[in-house]
Amino acid sequence: MSFASQLITWHHKHGRHHLPWQHSKTPYRIWLAEVMLQQTGVQTVIPYFEKFLSHFPDIQSLAQAPQSKVMIQWAGLGYYARARNLHKSAQIIIKQHQGVFPRNYIDIIQLPGIGRSTAGAICAQAFNLPYPILDGNVKRVLSRFFQINGWPGDKKIEQKLWLHSKNLTPQKEIAIYTQAIMDLGASVCTRVRPRCQHCPVQNNCLALKHNKVALYPVKRPKKIIPTKQTIMLIIHNRQNQIWLQLRPQTGIWGGLQSLPEYQNLADIPKRLSKKRQLGNTLKHTFTHYHLIIQPLFISSSAKYPLTRGRWFDLKNLDEIALPTPVKKICAK
Ligand code: SF4
């Protein structure tokens, strides 16, 4: 039996069949799920997926919504470029595809925020087209199955994995196969303690054969990431409001509201220098650096304490698209 047939047979009995995006399958729901799953685990995604759909049930409602409303539904899920790209893509679909999600790979991969693996997963799941995928789970399965000697993030190794993925992808039952290989990575060929004795492809897995499963996928070469510092101002007034500024569209937390930031105490405008009170620092880690946040509380009665930004009611915090660490600071 081929690799694909073994996985498909296994999936009928052991795969996941009750994920919210597996019901009422539409290209829109599949697209949304695939984008949310790009950097986030299934269990975290499920409530966000359902909440997002209740606000934006179709491409039209997403395209028409202001970006701030989209960001509110995404706040907390991280990697915010995904939400901005989703919104942009919905508008492109309305303008260029008459509001209908495109059915072919070339049009799909041209939408912002859709890479090769996401395009492949959408083609397979929504349209039954035989395109390979290579998400984190699949990289892990294939790295072990073929005992690939090299870190999957390395371009050459990634190309090798794509080739394997392509060769294994069947022409038929592609939607089930795609779901099966993702499920295998999520539930059997897991990052820690893989359950090889339950694996449908254990007889041909090279890492298992050589008793080296724990060594694959090869780890990323160690890199020390830098630490940056920032001061965040929590400017508060008697009406129980805080002053927030919209972040630029690009860069971290793009398109979210956030606290005003300064590199040094000396940079803070003089009119805000009185009655400052420091709080405990907070550490937040991004992929490329750690950020140490020093919160600084300031009471202000000014109508415009800074030129950029506006007052927001603290009681409405849940309705504002805020980065997670900023939400934590404000909640305190
Ligand atoms: Fe992964 Fe083990 Fe299956 Fe190999 S046998 S693919 S290591 S679960």
Side-chain angles (χ1 to χ4, degrees):
M1 237 205 278
S2 70
F3 181 92
S5 308
Q6 285 172 312
L7 250 63
I8 290 168
T9 308
W10 169 83
H11 187 263
H12 287 308
K13 211 166 165 195
H14 302 285
R16 297 176 290 188
H17 299 275
H18 301 292
L19 299 172
W21 44 90
Q22 292 175 317
H23 304 290
S24 332
K25 269 192 175 184
T26 64
Y28 175 62
R29 287 167 68 89
I30 291 166
W31 168 43
L32 176 63
E34 286 302 327
V35 171
M36 285 189 165
L37 290 166
Q38 276 170 356
Q39 271 113 344
T40 316
V42 166
Q43 290 315 319
T44 309
V45 162
I46 290 174
Y48 277 93
F49 177 80
E50 287 172 339
K51 193 161 71 97
F52 198 93
L53 274 180
S54 70
H55 284 85
F56 312 113
D58 48 32
I59 295 172
Q60 284 68 20
S61 52
L62 177 59
Q64 282 160 13
Q67 194 197 61
S68 58
K69 289 258 156 57
V70 179
M71 301 313 282
I72 288 170
Q73 299 314 318
W74 202 275
L77 201 55
Y79 298 96
Y80 296 94
R82 294 184 293 175
R84 294 194 300 275
N85 285 332
L86 208 59
H87 188 225
K88 248 189 259 165
S89 296
Q91 294 172 338
I92 292 172
I93 294 170
I94 297 290
K95 276 202 200 112
Q96 297 178 10
H97 303 283
Q98 296 75 48
V100 179
F101 196 91
R103 282 189 71 93
N104 69 77
Y105 182 83
I106 302 291
D107 285 339
I108 294 173
I109 204 166
Q110 278 173 5
L111 294 171
I114 297 191
R116 190 173 167 189
S117 187
T118 304
I122 297 171
C123 281
Q125 311 257 33
F127 307 119
N128 240 338
L129 295 170
Y131 282 91
I133 63 161
L134 194 65
D135 67 359
N137 281 328
V138 179
K139 278 182 187 170
R140 184 169 57 252
V141 172
L142 300 186
S143 294
R144 288 172 176 166
F145 187 80
F146 291 105
Q147 212 180 334
I148 304 285
N149 284 308
W151 174 52
D154 182 278
K155 271 278 155 274
K156 278 200 184 126
I157 301 297
E158 202 182 354
Q159 276 168 8
K160 220 184 228 184
L161 289 167
W162 268 116
L163 200 62
H164 282 305
S165 180
K166 191 165 169 248
N167 292 339
L168 294 175
T169 300
Q171 293 298 307
K172 286 185 183 157
E173 297 193 272
I174 178 70
I176 303 174
Y177 168 77
T178 303
Q179 189 62 52
I181 193 164
M182 291 195 284
D183 288 1
L184 186 78
S187 62
V188 176
C189 196
T190 44
R191 201 169 56 81
V192 287
R193 286 194 287 279
R195 300 183 304 122
C196 299
Q197 68 280 19
H198 297 287
C199 178
V201 293
Q202 57 182 279
N203 288 343
N204 297 312
C205 174
L206 288 179
L208 182 65
K209 185 177 167 194
H210 297 128
N211 200 16
K212 289 192 170 161
V213 173
L215 301 181
Y216 295 88
V218 170
K219 288 202 171 50
R220 177 198 194 112
K222 275 246 173 315
K223 195 173 98 189
I224 296 169
I225 61 170
T227 298
K228 298 182 184 181
Q229 313 247 3
T230 189
I231 298 168
M232 284 193 182
L233 301 189
I234 300 132
I235 309 173
H236 183 248
N237 68 12
R238 287 220 181 107
Q239 289 76 49
N240 204 22
Q241 294 175 311
I242 50 165
W243 186 263
L244 297 174
Q245 295 178 329
L246 186 65
R247 293 190 64 95
Q249 290 291 313
T250 50
I252 60 157
W253 302 330
L256 298 194
Q257 296 286 348
S258 192
L259 296 165
E261 278 186 53
Y262 292 90
Q263 284 303 302
N264 303 297
L265 286 172
D267 300 335
I268 300 171
K270 291 230 163 28
R271 61 185 177 280
L272 294 174
S273 63
K274 278 183 195 153
K275 298 185 201 155
R276 288 201 302 235
Q277 188 193 331
L278 296 169
N280 292 335
T281 57
L282 197 101
K283 186 176 176 184
H284 186 75
T285 298
F286 295 98
T287 327
H288 299 297
Y289 63 93
H290 302 293
L291 183 66
I292 305 284
I293 302 169
Q294 171 69 71
L296 206 58
F297 301 94
I298 295 169
S299 350
S300 169
S301 51
K303 197 168 173 193
Y304 299 103
L306 291 168
T307 45
R308 209 169 61 74
R310 69 178 180 91
W311 290 111
F312 284 81
D313 287 333
L314 260 181
K315 65 175 171 15
N316 296 338
L317 218 55
D318 284 344
E319 290 157 31
I320 309 166
L322 293 171
T324 302
V326 172
K327 204 168 213 169
K328 276 188 203 158
I329 294 172
C330 293
K332 274 189 191 169

